[in-house]
Amino acid sequence: MVGNTVSFTVQFFQRWSRRPYPVSDADSIRINIRQGANKIAAAVQIGSSMATEANLVKATFTVRRAGQYHIDINLGSIPIRGSPFVKYFRPGPPDPSKTTLVRPTSMVVCTAGIPHQLLLEPRDEYGNYCSWNHDAPGQQKALDAFSCEAYAIGSSDIVRPLVQWLWVELMHRLIINVTFNEEGIYGVRLKLDDSIINKGEFNMIALSRSEAVQVEKALVTRTATYETKLLTINGEKWNKNKKVFFSISPKQIALKEYILGIIPKRLATFRLCPATKVTFLKNTNKQEFPVLVIEDGAQFTVELSSKEAHLMAASFAHYLLKNIGGSETFTDKQGFFYQEIRKFHQKKPHEKLLLRVERDKILESSMKLTKSFSTTDWCRNYEISFIGEQGLDWGGLRREWIELLCVAIFDRRHSGLFTSFSEDGQALVHPNPKMPASCKLKHYEFAGKLVGKCLYESSLGATYRQLIKARFTRSFLAQLIGLRINYKYFEHDDPPLFLSKIKYIEENDVSDMELTFTEDEYDEQGKLLRTVELIPGGTRIAVDNVNKYRYLDALAQHRLVNSVRDQVDAFIRGLGELVPDNLLSIFDENELELLVCGTSDYSVAEMKAHHAAIGSSPEFQKVISWFWTAVTNFGSEEMSRLLQFTTGSSQLPPGGLSELQPKLQIAASPCFGTLPTAHTCFNQLCLPDYENYEQFEKALLIAINEGSEGFGLV
């Protein structure tokens, strides 16, 4: 079973005399353990100073992946008798943190009296799919550990729905049929032993048959309106009954009241996207009907009470799932996003368009070329040519063009369009509130179009996938999808300020700090330039322990939002030309970073699992062995440079190396002693032969550090 440490011993004897044969490193004993394409590291002890163990080889390794393992044991180039040995390791028991629902949602709508199907994927602590093939007792014992708890929202009374469990071995999935006999709003917890499984706590709304038909009709007519009582809005509680109307459509939720019964007045509007959360208060003893809470992180929470609260929430859940493709997981939303953006631009041809740009003036020349481009032009398939250089663009030059533009735009050391809140080399970048005179808002609009271009290209498939090499602040990403910024963003975006000021104010008494709702701004020499009021009349409002969180939020609005509002608006304007804002809003800020920037983190094990070796000569086998030894010792920067040298980009698709197209290739080069070369169009690294490891390592480091730009080495 996975999770165990496995040890085995090999005894060596002389062929004819059958006497124990003392082994040593000179005997070239090799033990290779493989599970699929993965090579498993093992601790190997060859021989011993004790005479009774001098002929023994001991190997120890830990099993983390379920499946069939092949163990090759060779003496020199000759396999020992019985090699390779095959061993199968079963997955471990289900783990609640790894077990998850398929296509999970925070709110499930069903019909009372009719079973609703949920799909569960049991996995062990290492992420292996659980399997009990030919082990009926073990299967029953494991499945008996799962349970489904339910309670009524509002009263917290325990409810016992009818639950049927069915294990499908071929799918590695557990089918759960849940039936509520009565209409209502229920909280549900799926548990393994005493722990709630991953994303296993959610609400279920059981509608009557007539109510289910009513909600379906609302989806067809694309609008529904419900009467409700307003309890809280704009941070204020309403003690008296205030009748308002909850209107929902595929794009938004609108709260309205009618003055004199005929004049509509809009009180609040929420976008219909995952950032908007619609939940129920668990205990509503003071209210006759369920209390619905609406929040989106961009404005104050709204609380409503209505006998139709379940219909309001059900309509929201149906519209939301339709807007995001039916699932709240990133992978499913990403697929839906790509599908919708292709549909949005389906009438625009993806024909080739040659762009001749200057490497030394990459931003200026690119902006000049695209100045009069329409949206259709931005959707075309660019072929890049660097003026004064040779090289045909089969995709590698286009990726390099994107990479160079990202450096010119987003690297704080270049144009000054973006900056960081600290001098730390790993600091995140944010639009520059003090942009140089040479920078204009049109630069931010171009940057937005570039990001939109990359997202559109990525939707066309792995061959065209483009990623942005940048590490944006969370507050900037949040503004792109319309979220309201609060002081908690400082912890991630501006750690020095958070640790020196924000955290102290948050955790301590501020009565003696003599703070007001203002912010002093200084120049680079420390001279006071001006004092900014964070709210109207802020100089006259003291910060105390009651309003300190309002002060911190106002400070976040000033430093992270208001100071760069024009820059962000220009960026969004450019981005919106290629990507509709309703599509971006299906992601949160962390998912948006993954979508736009991918990930640059990858391991040697991942590289070994997702590469193709081209060459079989003994010389190449020696060199590729040196290559793995070298990259095992690389740091993160060298790994990024190696990736950039080989593929033209230091960022990976969201799925890592497994999604890289074409697949990473390591090929033999018919040369001796020269520098390694790369064909970025084909993600191919070519390795010549060398006299020894030291020469190879030196040449590889020179190539990836000094040959990462241009086609001079190809």
Side-chain angles (χ1 to χ4, degrees), residues 148-152 157-161 180 186:
C148 176
E149 295 181 355
Y151 58 91
D157 293 339
I158 299 299
V159 178
R160 289 180 172 80
F180 287 96
Y186 304 100

mmCIF file of all heavy atoms in Angstrom, residues 148-152 157-161 180 186:
data_model
loop_
_atom_site.group_PDB
_atom_site.id
_atom_site.type_symbol
_atom_site.label_atom_id
_atom_site.label_comp_id
_atom_site.label_asym_id
_atom_site.label_seq_id
_atom_site.Cartn_x
_atom_site.Cartn_y
_atom_site.Cartn_z
ATOM 1 N N CYS A 148 -23.500 11.614 5.452
ATOM 2 C CA CYS A 148 -24.104 12.862 4.978
ATOM 3 C C CYS A 148 -24.960 13.431 6.102
ATOM 4 O O CYS A 148 -25.902 12.773 6.567
ATOM 5 C CB CYS A 148 -24.946 12.600 3.732
ATOM 6 S SG CYS A 148 -25.829 14.052 3.114
ATOM 7 N N GLU A 149 -24.622 14.634 6.557
ATOM 8 C CA GLU A 149 -25.389 15.312 7.598
ATOM 9 C C GLU A 149 -26.156 16.472 6.979
ATOM 10 O O GLU A 149 -25.677 17.116 6.047
ATOM 11 C CB GLU A 149 -24.465 15.852 8.692
ATOM 12 C CG GLU A 149 -23.738 14.785 9.486
ATOM 13 C CD GLU A 149 -22.851 15.390 10.563
ATOM 14 O OE1 GLU A 149 -22.743 16.644 10.602
ATOM 15 O OE2 GLU A 149 -22.275 14.635 11.355
ATOM 16 N N ALA A 150 -27.334 16.755 7.505
ATOM 17 C CA ALA A 150 -28.126 17.877 7.006
ATOM 18 C C ALA A 150 -28.867 18.529 8.161
ATOM 19 O O ALA A 150 -29.221 17.873 9.146
ATOM 20 C CB ALA A 150 -29.113 17.404 5.943
ATOM 21 N N TYR A 151 -29.074 19.839 8.039
ATOM 22 C CA TYR A 151 -29.830 20.579 9.049
ATOM 23 C C TYR A 151 -30.615 21.679 8.338
ATOM 24 O O TYR A 151 -30.258 22.136 7.245
ATOM 25 C CB TYR A 151 -28.898 21.186 10.103
ATOM 26 C CG TYR A 151 -27.854 22.125 9.543
ATOM 27 C CD1 TYR A 151 -28.106 23.489 9.437
ATOM 28 C CD2 TYR A 151 -26.622 21.641 9.110
ATOM 29 C CE1 TYR A 151 -27.155 24.351 8.910
ATOM 30 C CE2 TYR A 151 -25.669 22.491 8.579
ATOM 31 C CZ TYR A 151 -25.938 23.845 8.481
ATOM 32 O OH TYR A 151 -25.006 24.697 7.952
ATOM 33 N N ALA A 152 -31.704 22.096 8.943
ATOM 34 C CA ALA A 152 -32.554 23.129 8.359
ATOM 35 C C ALA A 152 -31.963 24.503 8.641
ATOM 36 O O ALA A 152 -31.651 24.831 9.786
ATOM 37 C CB ALA A 152 -33.965 23.030 8.921
ATOM 38 N N ASP A 157 -32.328 22.619 13.032
ATOM 39 C CA ASP A 157 -32.854 21.293 13.370
ATOM 40 C C ASP A 157 -32.217 20.240 12.465
ATOM 41 O O ASP A 157 -32.068 20.441 11.257
ATOM 42 C CB ASP A 157 -34.374 21.258 13.187
ATOM 43 C CG ASP A 157 -35.091 22.140 14.200
ATOM 44 O OD1 ASP A 157 -34.476 22.432 15.253
ATOM 45 O OD2 ASP A 157 -36.237 22.538 13.938
ATOM 46 N N ILE A 158 -31.846 19.115 13.052
ATOM 47 C CA ILE A 158 -31.246 18.030 12.288
ATOM 48 C C ILE A 158 -32.294 17.430 11.343
ATOM 49 O O ILE A 158 -33.440 17.187 11.727
ATOM 50 C CB ILE A 158 -30.697 16.934 13.220
ATOM 51 C CG1 ILE A 158 -29.605 17.524 14.122
ATOM 52 C CG2 ILE A 158 -30.144 15.766 12.412
ATOM 53 C CD1 ILE A 158 -28.414 18.069 13.366
ATOM 54 N N VAL A 159 -31.892 17.210 10.103
ATOM 55 C CA VAL A 159 -32.768 16.622 9.088
ATOM 56 C C VAL A 159 -32.090 15.360 8.568
ATOM 57 O O VAL A 159 -30.869 15.325 8.410
ATOM 58 C CB VAL A 159 -33.015 17.613 7.929
ATOM 59 C CG1 VAL A 159 -33.889 16.979 6.857
ATOM 60 C CG2 VAL A 159 -33.656 18.892 8.446
ATOM 61 N N ARG A 160 -32.881 14.339 8.299
ATOM 62 C CA ARG A 160 -32.318 13.082 7.800
ATOM 63 C C ARG A 160 -32.881 12.776 6.409
ATOM 64 O O ARG A 160 -33.925 12.134 6.276
ATOM 65 C CB ARG A 160 -32.613 11.939 8.773
ATOM 66 C CG ARG A 160 -31.804 12.047 10.062
ATOM 67 C CD ARG A 160 -32.095 10.911 11.020
ATOM 68 N NE ARG A 160 -31.180 10.951 12.148
ATOM 69 C CZ ARG A 160 -31.323 11.755 13.197
ATOM 70 N NH1 ARG A 160 -32.345 12.598 13.245
ATOM 71 N NH2 ARG A 160 -30.447 11.739 14.184
ATOM 72 N N PRO A 161 -32.193 13.268 5.370
ATOM 73 C CA PRO A 161 -32.650 12.953 4.016
ATOM 74 C C PRO A 161 -32.358 11.488 3.690
ATOM 75 O O PRO A 161 -31.550 10.831 4.357
ATOM 76 C CB PRO A 161 -31.807 13.887 3.142
ATOM 77 C CG PRO A 161 -30.549 14.082 3.926
ATOM 78 C CD PRO A 161 -30.957 14.069 5.371
ATOM 79 N N PHE A 180 -34.543 14.923 -0.360
ATOM 80 C CA PHE A 180 -35.260 15.599 0.728
ATOM 81 C C PHE A 180 -36.753 15.454 0.464
ATOM 82 O O PHE A 180 -37.242 15.801 -0.620
ATOM 83 C CB PHE A 180 -34.875 17.083 0.790
ATOM 84 C CG PHE A 180 -33.503 17.334 1.336
ATOM 85 C CD1 PHE A 180 -32.429 17.514 0.478
ATOM 86 C CD2 PHE A 180 -33.276 17.374 2.697
ATOM 87 C CE1 PHE A 180 -31.154 17.739 0.969
ATOM 88 C CE2 PHE A 180 -32.005 17.600 3.203
ATOM 89 C CZ PHE A 180 -30.943 17.778 2.341
ATOM 90 N N TYR A 186 -31.520 23.763 3.288
ATOM 91 C CA TYR A 186 -30.766 22.883 4.172
ATOM 92 C C TYR A 186 -29.261 23.127 4.036
ATOM 93 O O TYR A 186 -28.759 23.437 2.954
ATOM 94 C CB TYR A 186 -31.061 21.417 3.841
ATOM 95 C CG TYR A 186 -32.528 21.063 3.895
ATOM 96 C CD1 TYR A 186 -33.285 20.989 2.729
ATOM 97 C CD2 TYR A 186 -33.158 20.817 5.110
ATOM 98 C CE1 TYR A 186 -34.638 20.674 2.768
ATOM 99 C CE2 TYR A 186 -34.508 20.501 5.166
ATOM 100 C CZ TYR A 186 -35.246 20.431 3.990
ATOM 101 O OH TYR A 186 -36.584 20.125 4.041
#
